[in-house]
């Protein structure tokens, strides 16, 4: 069955582990990158449904990587959620300028990450969607 893919670009190993674990448990396929450069490369190769992009990354930061991806027709429509420790309005504005579609401020509860991913791309698989529909119908 077709599973939705999330590309997680994050240099912090603990964060990678936590977010990958919860997303995988919910049924998403997760591809991991550790630098902005690797993130851009994998985004083009894997065509994920959504990208979780840490802002502070080695080699190429998350905003520069976002700008690159938004400028490429292959990935310009892919939603990108910035993950950042910076909560100021100016930081949010810079992320929006770079093309980020969402913004989560660290420390981020794993449940918040799931919520945001599901809100933007829907359930991990069509099966989950059917099951959710059934649950709602009672
Ligand atoms: Mn980082």
């Amino acid at each position: 069955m077709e599973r939705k893919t999330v590309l997680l670009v994050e240099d912090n190993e603990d964060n990678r582990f936590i977010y990958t674990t919860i997303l995988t448990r919910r049924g998403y396929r997760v591809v991991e990158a550790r630098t902005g450069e690797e993130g851009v490369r994998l985004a083009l190769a894997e065509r994920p449904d959504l990208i979780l992009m840490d802002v502070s990354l080695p080699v190429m930061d998350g905003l520069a990587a976002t700008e690159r991806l938004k400028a490429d027709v292959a990935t310009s429509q892919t939603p990108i959620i910035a993950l950042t420790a910076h909560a100021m309005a100016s930081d949010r504005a810079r992320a929006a300028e770079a093309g980020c579609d969402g913004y989560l401020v660290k420390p981020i509860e794993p449940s918040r990450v799931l919520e945001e991913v599901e809100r933007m791309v829907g359930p991990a698989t069509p099966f989950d969607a059917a099951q959710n529909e059934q649950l709602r119908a009672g």
Side-chain angles (χ1 to χ4, degrees):
M1 195 181 300
E2 188 71 29
R3 285 193 300 157
K4 293 210 172 111
T5 298
V6 174
L7 170 60
L8 172 62
V9 190
E10 166 65 84
D11 60 329
N12 180 282
E13 194 179 342
D14 292 339
N15 287 342
R16 269 205 318 277
F17 178 76
I18 292 164
Y19 301 145
T20 295
T21 301
I22 52 151
L23 288 163
T24 305
R25 204 177 282 162
R26 189 59 70 94
Y28 294 95
R29 174 173 167 262
V30 179
V31 178
E32 297 181 1
R34 292 156 188 78
T35 69
E37 216 157 58
E38 194 185 8
V40 169
R41 190 171 55 74
L42 285 176
L44 291 165
E46 300 279 341
R47 303 300 169 90
D49 296 282
L50 179 140
I51 301 170
L52 293 172
M53 182 74 81
D54 181 27
V55 168
S56 181
L57 290 167
V59 186
M60 181 195 296
D61 76 30
L63 296 185
T66 297
E67 276 172 3
R68 276 261 202 113
L69 293 170
K70 289 296 178 178
D72 193 317
V73 288
T75 48
S76 63
Q77 301 302 310
T78 309
I80 300 180
I81 301 175
L83 312 178
T84 175
H86 308 290
M88 290 190 344
S90 57
D91 298 309
R92 194 177 285 265
R94 278 184 57 221
E97 247 168 60
C100 293
D101 303 276
Y103 191 89
L104 292 172
V105 178
K106 293 179 177 185
I108 310 160
E109 285 291 318
S111 61
R112 270 295 287 140
V113 174
L114 262 187
E115 223 175 78
E116 199 62 10
V117 169
E118 283 188 324
R119 192 177 68 77
M120 294 188 92
V121 300
T125 67
F127 174 76
D128 293 336
Q131 209 174 34
N132 286 345
E133 207 46 57
Q134 252 177 12
L135 284 173
R136 263 197 292 275

